[in-house]
Amino acid sequence: MSSAESLSMAGRNHGGPSLAALLRVELLLALRKRADIANPLLFFVTVLALLPLGVGPEPDLLARLAPGMIWVMALLATLLSQESLFRSDFEDGSLEQQALSSQPLYFAVLIKAAVHWLVTGLPLALLSPMLGLMLNLPAAGYFCLLVSLLLGTASMSLIGAVGAALTVALRRPGLLLALIVMPLYVPVLIFGTGAVQAAIDGYVFGPQLAILAALLAAAAALAPLAAAGAIRISLDN
Amino acid sequence: MAWQWFHRLGSPRWFYQKTGAWLPWLALASVILLTVGSVWGLGFAPQDAKQGNSYRIIYIHVPASFLALAGYYIMAISGAIGLIWKMKLSFAVMRAAAPIGAVLTVIALFTGAVWGKPTWGTYWVWDARITSMLILLFLYIGVIALARAFSREQVADKACALLALVGTVNIPIIYKSVDWWFTLHQPATIKLTQSSSIDPSMFYPLLTMIIGFYCMYAWSLIAHTRTLVLQREWRTQWVQQELSGMETQGKGGK
Amino acid sequence: MPANSESHSLLQVRNLSCQRDGRRLFAGLSFTLPASGALQIEGANGAGKTTLLRTLIGSAGDYDGQILWDGRPFPASLPQFRESLLYIGHRAGVRGGLTPLENLAWYGANRSAAMQALEQVDLFGFEDSLCQNLSAGQNRRVALARLFLPDAPSLWILDEPLAALDVAGVAALQGQMAVHLSRGGAMVFTSHQPVALAGLQGIQLADFAVDELAESAGGEHVFG
């Protein structure tokens, strides 16, 4: 069965495609742009590989810096890939068509953010133990690093969607997007690195992970709403 | 009817013509209050037992920090009113509030740094409140930068209002998380003031300064909004009349 | 106007005025679009054609006047309105990362209907190439293929549908427009070219333009 057929089976009426069809199209589009998937990951790995060149190869120092650096770089990699989240859909007019369909934009944004996380945050989190190894991260931190990044990057994908939606009508939003989104990432960064540090120091890290999960739940509920509003504002440009 | 009052208040023309008379009074009140407050606070209030004279910076630092934070909410609430009722005036208030709030945040940060030197021996300490202020400044800068990026004012208004609202939801979370982060990384001994009660002889000048800052804030917000209203409504007849009225007044005064 | 002719009207616009950046583009625009009715909007560049269409689809908020769908005013009737709307704007709504077939499937077409529609817009053989590899004109035709789907919605709002089409394409599209009208559909479109359709109404936006200097009420506009 061709992909076109599988799409049409799910999306039948004029009201707009079903959620399953939305998800399938977004995944299909993401997988067809493989370079866009690889770039944030390569950025993540490259910058972290440069870190020892900057601060020296001393294992203790690297171990101290590792949780924070891995988290900050994951944040930057997520942020850099966020700019293109709505861009092509805005430029080719399909975002406008989605805003006109009876399917709420909320779900369209939620699905876009989810797919963004699947192709950015998830692989970043899965790569992080390897980078932890290279940066001499103490053994107690690995599990917590992985889980905190899984939760945190998902929140960041959702929060970043608001910024991406606000700036989608601008020609070159890159730095502006970073400027408006980064302060909103602060709680995620604090609890993410806090959890890893606690795990390394041998304290409980469950509460921090729980807060990260709570932040994710709040972001999933509110960020798509804000982003949908922002899309309607941007479309009226 | 309440709605009618709301409607009239929202009229840029009504706002412009009414508030013109308030400005001199607000300016007078803020000059008097700020002069009295600073002379009182800097000259006559007693020295602090632990910090000596350096604590006196709070007479600027505390009111500026108050208003920097309150200003963000004023900006966000005006933005929300604009988004919900599509009121043009409230967007103008929002846009005027952004740079004023940012300047107040910078003042709060600067005075905090000046205070930090004699107190902590260094200009910058990653203290919870200072860090939160810094992030607040970033939030302000985000709104201002976003406003400048759009070529169409109406789109910029709505986008900024939305961003300000998102920021409002986040501010409590950011403050709490920074607080938590601070207690994690710093020994508790550095925590100064706040919890300790303040003597009335120190408090009354502070209160005077806070009220003075509020008056100054109101004055600058109204003055800035009036300029924005003129810029935005320049096509309309009433603005043309106001402007030609100003010109003839200026000539008559000579 | 007799009451029963109003009840037959699909889309009704009363005393509409639109503004952009505080400048009024046009005012006092009224028209009624019945079933099987077609309306062509003409005007110079910048006259507000696109703004008018975007207002009609409920995407631009800054307007005065009334828009009624099926006798019920916006915005209450927007959800039902959008169920029966097919809008093709300046940006075609064709995703470059999908093939023409997948794009039509996204709009709810099954494979055989999509293939037929693509054949009618002369894209037979391109159905499985990615749209980002097709020319601008071909992408435009992928969007227009939506009009050739058998279960196309009843109200078409089209921004310059004839632009970037060759002679054969224009003829095919005009034929399909006539078919749509004969099925009881209705349409509003902008075009610089004359369009041959029976019963076509026309609106010149220049007739509703606002003289800015004479216009002074703007200062009392509380709501943007």
Side-chain angles (χ1 to χ4, degrees):
Chain A
M1 190 166 69
S2 80
S3 57
E5 230 166 315
S6 65
L7 291 183
S8 76
M9 285 180 64
R12 263 316 302 154
N13 56 5
H14 316 306
S18 71
L19 293 181
L22 261 168
L23 184 62
R24 232 169 299 169
V25 166
E26 291 302 332
L27 278 173
L28 192 64
L29 285 168
L31 293 176
R32 281 186 184 161
K33 282 188 288 186
R34 290 209 184 83
D36 284 8
I37 300 179
N39 286 345
L41 299 177
L42 291 172
F43 169 85
F44 182 60
V45 174
T46 314
V47 178
L48 283 173
L50 287 181
L51 175 71
L53 302 180
V55 302
E58 202 189 324
D60 287 350
L61 179 64
L62 287 179
R64 267 184 62 78
L65 289 177
M69 285 309 288
I70 292 175
W71 251 93
V72 169
M73 288 310 147
L75 181 152
L76 285 179
T78 312
L79 188 61
L80 285 176
S81 60
Q82 206 105 49
E83 187 191 324
S84 57
L85 189 61
F86 298 111
R87 180 140 303 264
S88 65
D89 278 8
F90 178 80
E91 277 164 2
D92 66 26
S94 51
L95 199 58
E96 185 171 45
Q97 295 288 341
Q98 283 188 43
L100 287 177
S101 87
S102 52
Q103 188 76 254
L105 260 182
Y106 178 93
F107 292 111
V109 175
L110 193 63
I111 284 173
K112 272 193 165 296
V115 170
H116 177 261
W117 176 77
L118 277 177
V119 299
T120 322
L122 180 63
L124 279 177
L126 294 179
L127 267 178
S128 64
M130 187 191 86
L131 288 155
L133 203 69
M134 286 166 70
L135 296 180
N136 196 31
L137 184 78
Y142 284 90
F143 171 73
C144 188
L145 180 70
L146 180 67
V147 177
S148 68
L149 275 176
L150 282 176
L151 292 168
T153 50
S155 293
M156 292 196 288
S157 286
L158 285 158
I159 297 168
V162 181
L166 278 171
T167 53
V168 72
L170 301 172
R171 217 157 285 149
R172 312 191 65 184
L175 286 174
L176 178 65
L177 176 64
L179 210 57
I180 65 178
V181 166
M182 274 212 268
L184 306 177
Y185 281 171
V186 166
V188 178
L189 178 67
I190 286 177
F191 287 108
T193 48
V196 182
Q197 199 59 55
I200 291 172
D201 297 343
Y203 297 117
V204 287
F205 52 86
Q208 285 93 312
L209 291 184
I211 291 174
L212 276 181
L215 288 176
L216 174 59
L222 295 175
L225 271 183
I231 285 172
R232 292 195 194 279
I233 292 167
S234 291
L235 283 173
D236 200 5
N237 197 0
Chain B
M1 213 177 100
W3 178 250
Q4 239 170 6
W5 173 84
F6 188 58
H7 195 275
R8 238 197 2 196
L9 189 73
S11 153
R13 178 184 187 174
W14 184 88
F15 173 85
Y16 186 86
Q17 288 167 349
K18 269 281 176 258
T19 53
W22 303 352
L23 282 179
W25 295 106
L26 276 172
L28 190 69
S30 45
V31 167
I32 291 174
L33 284 168
L34 291 178
T35 314
V36 170
S38 36
V39 170
W40 190 358
L42 299 182
F44 296 97
Q47 271 197 12
D48 184 79
K50 275 183 283 183
Q51 301 176 47
N53 276 323
S54 66
Y55 90 95
R56 291 181 199 278
I57 197 90
I58 65 161
Y59 292 114
I60 297 172
H61 177 75
V62 170
S65 313
F66 266 27
L67 271 165
L69 186 58
Y72 196 90
Y73 281 92
I74 291 172
M75 178 176 81
I77 291 168
S78 336
I81 292 174
L83 278 183
I84 295 167
W85 288 290
K86 298 188 174 163
M87 235 159 73
K88 289 197 287 189
L89 178 63
S90 64
F91 280 133
V93 174
M94 173 194 76
R95 293 287 287 276
I100 299 173
V103 168
L104 283 167
T105 316
V106 170
I107 292 175
L109 280 173
F110 178 76
T111 51
V114 170
W115 183 28
K117 185 63 183 169
T119 314
W120 294 318
T122 168
Y123 283 111
W124 188 265
V125 168
W126 289 95
D127 157 77
R129 257 169 293 148
I130 290 182
T131 311
S132 295
M133 270 292 152
L134 186 67
I135 294 166
L136 183 67
L137 179 64
F138 292 153
L139 286 171
Y140 270 122
I141 289 174
V143 172
I144 295 169
L146 186 67
R148 293 199 169 179
F150 285 97
S151 54
R152 293 187 55 208
E153 291 290 333
Q154 289 174 331
V155 185
D157 284 346
K158 291 181 196 162
C160 288
L162 199 123
L163 181 60
L165 279 175
V166 173
T168 314
V169 174
N170 270 276
I171 282 180
I173 305 176
I174 292 174
Y175 269 58
K176 277 285 154 208
S177 59
V178 170
D179 229 27
W180 179 81
W181 164 83
F182 179 68
T183 53
L184 188 76
H185 289 271
Q186 301 284 339
T189 47
I190 294 187
K191 275 223 161 175
L192 278 170
T193 64
Q194 202 68 4
S195 51
S196 61
S197 61
I198 182 166
D199 190 78
S201 59
M202 292 179 181
F203 176 68
Y204 288 125
L206 182 61
L207 191 67
T208 316
M209 286 300 279
I210 290 175
I211 299 172
F213 259 77
Y214 264 97
C215 287
M216 191 178 72
Y217 181 84
W219 174 80
S220 52
L221 184 65
I222 291 174
H224 197 161
T225 307
R226 281 163 60 85
T227 328
L228 285 181
V229 163
L230 284 191
Q231 271 175 13
R232 290 173 170 216
E233 304 276 321
W234 67 272
R235 282 175 216 270
T236 60
Q237 212 171 29
W238 73 265
V239 172
Q240 303 289 341
Q241 278 169 358
E242 289 287 342
L243 292 179
S244 60
M246 272 183 214
E247 256 169 46
T248 50
Q249 258 185 358
K251 276 172 197 158
K254 270 179 198 170
Chain C
M1 196 181 283
N4 70 337
S5 91
E6 257 188 60
S7 66
H8 282 294
S9 69
L10 286 177
L11 185 67
Q12 209 178 358
V13 167
R14 291 183 190 152
N15 202 17
L16 183 73
S17 74
C18 289
Q19 47 190 354
R20 197 174 154 83
D21 303 330
R23 195 172 67 88
R24 288 236 242 168
L25 295 164
F26 52 83
L29 180 68
S30 300
F31 65 82
T32 300
L33 191 70
S36 297
L39 174 67
Q40 179 177 7
I41 294 158
E42 290 172 273
N45 290 332
K49 288 176 303 223
T50 298
T51 306
L52 173 58
L53 291 194
R54 295 191 47 79
T55 308
L56 289 182
I57 62 173
S59 286
D62 301 341
Y63 69 88
D64 291 312
Q66 251 194 328
I67 304 173
L68 295 98
W69 171 249
D70 232 353
R72 290 176 58 227
F74 275 17
S77 57
L78 260 180
Q80 290 89 333
F81 168 78
R82 285 185 171 157
E83 294 269 316
S84 4
L85 171 69
L86 194 165
Y87 170 72
I88 299 179
H90 164 67
R91 292 173 169 133
V94 173
R95 288 167 189 251
L98 299 178
T99 68
L101 213 50
E102 287 163 348
N103 265 300
L104 290 181
W106 165 261
Y107 289 111
N110 64 37
R111 189 184 169 87
S112 65
M115 283 300 285
Q116 270 179 6
L118 286 174
E119 209 172 324
Q120 279 172 291
V121 293
D122 203 19
L123 281 173
F124 187 76
F126 292 99
E127 65 273 3
D128 283 330
S129 344
L130 289 186
C131 287
Q132 63 205 17
N133 300 333
L134 301 179
S135 73
Q138 283 171 320
N139 269 306
R140 192 79 201 155
R141 278 187 278 155
V142 175
L144 292 173
R146 292 171 62 195
L147 305 175
F148 291 84
L149 294 172
D151 49 358
S154 56
L155 176 67
W156 293 358
I157 293 187
L158 314 172
D159 199 353
E160 295 288 345
L162 300 180
L165 288 186
D166 54 16
V167 178
V170 169
L173 182 57
Q174 285 194 10
Q176 185 62 18
M177 286 168 138
V179 169
H180 182 63
L181 294 179
S182 72
R183 285 194 299 219
M187 64 183 75
V188 179
F189 60 92
T190 60
S191 181
H192 290 294
Q193 309 173 35
V195 179
L197 276 177
L200 179 66
Q201 310 176 56
I203 282 182
Q204 286 286 349
L205 273 189
D207 298 344
F208 300 92
V210 181
D211 183 1
E212 276 294 328
L213 290 177
E215 159 91 3
S216 62
E220 287 307 278
H221 275 254
V222 177
F223 305 100

